Amino acid sequence: MIDKGQVMKILYHVVDLYNKQEEESRISKEPGTKLVGENAVLDSLGLVNFILTLESELKENFASEISLTDENIISDQDGPFQSIDNLADYIVNKLNEVI
Amino acid sequence: MNKIFSGLLVSDFTMDNFSQVLKHKNIFPLIDTTITPYGEFMSVLLDPNHVLRKKKYDFVIIWTQPHSISESFKDLLYGKNVDIDLIMNQVEQFAMFLSNIKSVVKFVFIPTWVIPSYIHGLGMLNMKPKIGISAVLMQMNLALANYFENDPSFFVLDAQRWLTEIGPKAFNPKLWYMAKIPFTNDVFAQASQDIKSALRGLSGDAKKLIIVDLDNTLWGGIVGDDGWEKLTLGGHSYAGEAYADFQRSLKALKEKGVLIAIVSKNDEQVALEAIEKHPEMILHKDDFVGWRINWGDKAQNIVDLVSDLNLGLQSVVFFDDNPSERARVREELSEVFVPDLPNDPMLYTYTLQKLNCFDAPFISKEDRERTSLYAAEKKRIAIRQRVSSVDSWLEKLDMHITISTVNKTNLKRTVQLLNKTNQMNLTTRRLSEEELVVWLSDKNHFMRVINVSDKFGDFGLVGIFSFEILESRARFVDFVLSCRVFGRKIEELMVQAACQNAQKRDLLYIEAVYEKTAKNKPCFDFWKRSGFDYNESDKRFLWDFKKDYPINLNAKIDEKNE
């Protein structure tokens, strides 16, 4: 079983990678950070970069491929991208389904 | 290096990610970018009135995918039979479009066309001429490179190397479908490194001198303890072969104009004996422009050596196997670039060849002969130390100075000198070949170049001076002299020649306005002692033509006005 702590660690690592690249609009490393919608730091290209980097890191760390690029899920107002915390829960469930 | 370069990014794909990478402040020089909106790259290339062409840029990067510029190549990708001549025509037409962009930039960078490595294509037929994707792509890239072969403003960059460096992570198909970006940021980081290195080279900020240690750097073992006969170098051992290869790579750098010197804690006589007698040495004594082989502090030895060569510390790379010596030099001389060396000598050549700090836009005759020019300089200094005054020293050198107009033969070297000289440079103006030709076409602009030789050798083209006419006065625009001929009164000769030519135009006086940079203090020092009146507030030096500019130089001087 994969626990949330492992996934949060990867999420924060991806935040670090993103912030290293983006010198002007940095993402806060907090569970409540919003990734999409009003007051979110990421613009549309930033979100694509973030998601694809995250997919690649998850594949590398857990040797399983999960897709986070479903448009309906990304734009869902109550969906996983509302916060880093929600996204971590979503990923844990997905990974545990696959494993 | 404080200048921020402005770049226009023209592409058939979304350039925002690449722009972010280029603008990153972790590697110099700093870059500011303007991006062509997605889908507009052809209109920027074709429309001279496009809003993005109203502004001047330092450089433009034109990065396209092969199927965007050739419909026929797109057909080939989808398995159709195509006419290769048609593809080559489309490439030539595209190259012609690219030529149009020259009006707004100094330099144009064009990454070669690549396709994702996961495209299997025709497998074993991929290199079959006319039908194989890889073969056709190579032909297209070669045609592009050939098209710009003689244009000094265009640089076709090898994008395949960036992809090879990154491997499978170079591409992510999802990034293409979601954002119209064909490469990952890892590829853009590689591209950015090469482009920044090229900009440094084009601005005269490439490294010019590599200083190496001896024991366990140029050869394996401690020469003072083991004796030169027992050093690990060449022969049949893998470490010996690696040391010999490292020396070959250093020699290759010398061929492109980089100087090599030694700073080593050793007994000088013992170390030089090894260099002269070891049969497997690739580098010989005359390959080194100088050395400091003693038991003193390496940082101090580097300072002394660099000072003797009239170079700045920012031009230096220091290679030493010993981490504490590297740390000492890094701490004491922050301008010197000190790469980390792996523990294993088999990785030395790899480390050296990965460095991108020696890039130059072209390699001149002067570059290839630089070490021998410095060797001749040592002989001159030896005479200098024996004679009583500068004048009698200069007399013994039998100097021959030629003052010429800029012409087809010397244009490239003039541009090179203009763009790489930092110390004796009044304004540090940087120009492309095209810009210089345009500047020279104005009848109010005047430029001459200086060639110097003496009985020990030929320095080649080492000086440039130019002025512009502003109503009743002349103003120096460029005053550039290679550090190799400082202090031979050539500075004064250039001033005198400028004065004489300005006087012929019935002007009243000539002025020089010093533009300070981090490196051109030697130029300021010269002007302070030049005899010109100096106004501190606007850094302006002035000579009134009521009297002639005096100079006492014993040399043969020719003027060539071709």
Side-chain angles (χ1 to χ4, degrees):
Chain A
M1 286 285 281
I2 287 162
D3 68 50
K4 193 172 169 182
Q6 290 170 276
V7 173
M8 281 300 275
K9 206 173 155 190
I10 289 168
L11 267 162
Y12 283 156
H13 173 61
V14 173
V15 168
D16 284 339
L17 291 175
Y18 181 89
N19 287 343
K20 207 172 148 191
Q21 198 58 54
E22 299 281 329
E23 290 184 318
E24 282 153 21
S25 57
R26 300 190 173 215
I27 312 174
S28 300
K29 269 166 87 171
E30 291 169 68
T33 299
K34 280 185 73 142
L35 297 172
V36 293
E38 215 174 312
N39 301 326
V41 181
L42 298 171
D43 61 12
S44 57
L45 180 58
L47 184 64
V48 169
N49 286 327
F50 184 87
I51 292 173
L52 296 183
T53 309
L54 180 57
E55 281 189 355
S56 158
E57 289 296 320
L58 290 169
K59 188 178 171 187
E60 209 158 279
N61 282 274
F62 300 113
S64 48
E65 204 158 323
I66 61 162
S67 176
L68 301 169
T69 50
D70 184 324
E71 278 182 78
N72 294 325
I73 294 172
I74 293 172
S75 57
D76 182 357
Q77 290 298 311
D78 302 313
F81 286 90
Q82 288 313 301
S83 69
I84 288 184
D85 196 48
N86 285 7
L87 186 56
D89 288 333
Y90 178 80
I91 292 168
V92 170
N93 286 335
K94 278 275 187 187
L95 284 172
N96 285 330
E97 275 171 26
V98 179
I99 294 167
Chain B
M1 189 174 194
N2 303 321
K3 178 181 160 65
I4 298 176
F5 285 82
S6 61
L8 173 64
L9 311 185
V10 181
S11 180
D12 60 337
F13 57 83
T14 307
M15 287 295 250
D16 297 63
N17 275 4
F18 184 39
S19 168
Q20 283 294 341
V21 175
L22 279 173
K23 287 200 290 194
H24 213 279
K25 297 185 180 101
N26 58 347
I27 303 175
F28 281 92
L30 299 182
I31 288 177
D32 192 22
T33 59
T34 302
I35 303 175
T36 308
Y38 181 72
E40 278 189 39
F41 83 100
M42 281 309 274
S43 57
V44 172
L45 293 178
L46 294 175
D47 179 6
N49 298 315
H50 193 286
V51 66
L52 291 180
R53 287 175 62 163
K54 301 281 181 208
K55 200 181 139 191
K56 286 267 181 188
Y57 304 92
D58 292 312
F59 68 94
V60 59
I61 301 169
I62 304 171
W63 197 346
T64 56
Q65 299 166 98
H67 53 265
S68 294
I69 64 100
S70 168
E71 273 296 319
S72 302
F73 185 79
K74 194 173 183 177
D75 290 340
L76 184 72
L77 276 177
Y78 290 106
K80 292 184 186 165
N81 280 332
V82 295
D83 178 358
I84 184 75
D85 291 337
L86 191 58
I87 294 182
M88 300 319 287
N89 284 342
Q90 287 163 343
V91 168
E92 193 177 342
Q93 194 178 30
F94 184 68
M96 277 166 58
F97 296 156
L98 298 187
S99 306
N100 294 333
I101 204 80
K102 260 167 62 170
S103 58
V104 292
V105 288
K106 286 183 185 172
F107 306 112
V108 183
F109 299 114
I110 311 167
T112 50
W113 291 302
V114 290
I115 53 167
S117 50
Y118 55 76
I119 295 180
H120 184 72
L122 296 175
M124 72 182 87
L125 297 179
N126 272 347
M127 279 305 293
K128 275 268 183 221
K130 297 181 185 173
I131 59 163
I133 296 169
S134 305
V136 173
L137 198 60
M138 278 184 185
Q139 210 175 330
M140 290 168 70
N141 281 320
L142 201 56
L144 188 73
N146 285 337
Y147 190 91
F148 293 112
E149 182 188 359
N150 295 315
D151 193 320
S153 306
F154 280 76
F155 300 93
V156 177
L157 306 177
D158 182 6
Q160 190 59 50
R161 199 173 58 75
W162 306 333
L163 306 186
T164 309
E165 193 73 10
I166 302 306
K169 285 190 170 181
F171 304 97
N172 184 342
K174 286 187 171 188
L175 193 55
W176 173 253
Y177 290 113
M178 294 178 80
K180 294 291 171 281
I181 302 173
F183 310 110
T184 60
N185 276 6
D186 293 338
V187 175
F188 292 141
Q190 292 289 324
S192 171
Q193 278 182 29
D194 272 10
I195 286 160
K196 290 197 170 193
S197 166
L199 290 172
R200 289 196 299 270
L202 288 162
S203 329
D205 285 312
K207 303 294 178 190
K208 298 179 176 110
L209 169 68
I210 181 159
I211 299 178
V212 291
D213 174 41
L214 293 175
D215 293 336
N216 294 318
T217 301
L218 273 198
W219 54 60
I222 310 288
V223 67
D225 293 343
D226 307 334
W228 64 264
E229 300 89 341
K230 290 191 178 159
L231 294 175
T232 305
L233 179 62
H236 297 292
S237 85
Y238 46 76
E241 207 176 306
Y243 282 114
D245 263 352
F246 180 61
Q247 291 197 18
R248 273 187 202 98
S249 302
L250 286 167
K251 199 151 185 160
L253 279 178
K254 187 194 154 211
E255 290 300 318
K256 65 179 213 179
V258 177
L259 300 165
I260 313 169
I262 301 167
V263 165
S264 171
K265 283 183 178 165
N266 253 311
D267 181 282
E268 180 172 337
Q269 206 183 335
V270 171
L272 291 179
E273 187 188 16
I275 292 170
E276 284 169 344
K277 290 190 176 168
H278 198 292
E280 303 271 5
M281 277 294 292
I282 305 294
L283 291 168
H284 302 290
K285 211 170 148 188
D286 58 6
D287 288 317
F288 299 100
V289 69
W291 53 81
R292 288 288 184 282
I293 304 172
N294 54 45
W295 300 101
D297 175 38
K298 287 198 178 181
Q300 188 56 51
N301 276 326
I302 289 172
V303 170
D304 293 346
L305 183 65
V306 169
S307 160
D308 276 2
L309 297 171
N310 268 336
L311 290 171
L313 285 167
Q314 73 284 346
S315 309
V316 178
V317 177
F318 177 58
F319 242 76
D320 195 312
D321 68 299
N322 186 333
S324 56
E325 294 290 5
R326 295 200 299 266
R328 161 80 187 135
V329 171
R330 264 192 211 118
E331 185 188 303
E332 193 64 31
L333 311 171
S334 58
E335 307 98 307
V336 172
F337 174 45
V338 186
D340 272 325
L341 218 58
N343 292 329
D344 193 328
M346 284 191 285
L347 298 174
Y348 286 2
T349 300
Y350 165 84
T351 306
L352 180 65
Q353 289 182 336
K354 267 182 82 77
L355 295 180
N356 61 3
C357 53
F358 302 109
D359 289 5
F362 90 108
I363 301 163
S364 65
K365 179 173 164 277
E366 281 85 354
D367 291 329
R368 291 191 188 281
E369 293 173 357
R370 182 156 295 133
T371 303
S372 57
L373 294 172
Y374 273 97
E377 183 62 14
K378 274 188 197 162
K379 292 179 189 164
R380 293 180 191 103
I381 291 167
I383 292 186
R384 173 78 188 92
Q385 285 163 347
R386 288 205 308 270
V387 297
S388 54
S389 72
V390 173
D391 288 333
S392 52
W393 170 59
L394 293 176
E395 200 178 324
K396 284 184 193 304
L397 292 179
D398 296 335
M399 269 204 294
H400 181 190
I401 298 166
T402 310
I403 304 171
S404 322
T405 48
V406 179
N407 54 45
K408 276 185 185 167
T409 324
N410 61 27
L411 178 65
K412 262 193 167 37
R413 169 63 183 159
T414 305
V415 171
Q416 186 197 36
L417 189 68
L418 195 63
N419 285 301
K420 74 189 294 190
T421 307
N422 293 312
Q423 297 185 84
M424 185 61 76
N425 198 331
L426 183 69
T427 58
T428 318
R429 182 169 75 138
R430 308 299 200 197
L431 292 179
S432 68
E433 261 186 54
E434 275 76 18
E435 286 173 321
L436 179 57
V437 170
V438 170
W439 190 86
L440 288 168
S441 66
D442 189 318
K443 66 178 172 41
N444 287 321
H445 292 167
F446 178 93
M447 178 178 276
R448 290 291 182 270
V449 294
I450 308 288
N451 281 66
V452 178
S453 64
D454 64 19
K455 67 179 180 185
F456 295 108
D458 188 353
F459 288 99
L461 196 161
V462 286
I464 303 165
F465 66 89
S466 71
F467 61 76
E468 58 184 341
I469 298 167
L470 304 166
E471 297 171 351
S472 60
R473 70 187 195 277
R475 174 188 282 201
F476 276 96
V477 176
D478 303 293
F479 188 82
V480 171
L481 189 66
S482 163
C483 57
R484 289 180 288 128
V485 291
F486 283 7
R488 300 163 158 254
K489 294 197 172 180
I490 294 167
E491 300 91 324
E492 285 86 346
L493 178 76
M494 283 164 54
V495 173
Q496 188 199 45
C499 288
Q500 286 172 346
N501 278 289
Q503 276 173 296
K504 280 182 202 162
R505 286 160 175 76
D506 294 329
L507 303 172
L508 300 178
Y509 61 93
I510 189 164
E511 64 186 16
V513 179
Y514 169 71
E515 290 180 30
K516 187 179 174 183
T517 70
K519 298 170 190 167
N520 71 346
K521 186 166 178 298
C523 190
F524 183 67
D525 293 343
F526 161 71
W527 281 95
K528 285 277 274 188
R529 59 176 190 271
S530 67
F532 274 48
D533 291 330
Y534 176 55
N535 185 330
E536 179 83 47
S537 63
D538 55 4
K539 299 267 187 284
R540 197 162 67 115
F541 296 89
L542 191 142
W543 185 268
D544 192 321
F545 290 147
K546 282 177 190 152
K547 53 183 178 177
D548 292 335
Y549 186 79
I551 179 172
N552 174 25
L553 173 62
N554 201 329
K556 185 182 172 213
I557 299 164
D558 285 329
E559 287 208 38
K560 279 189 191 170
N561 296 315
E562 290 164 2

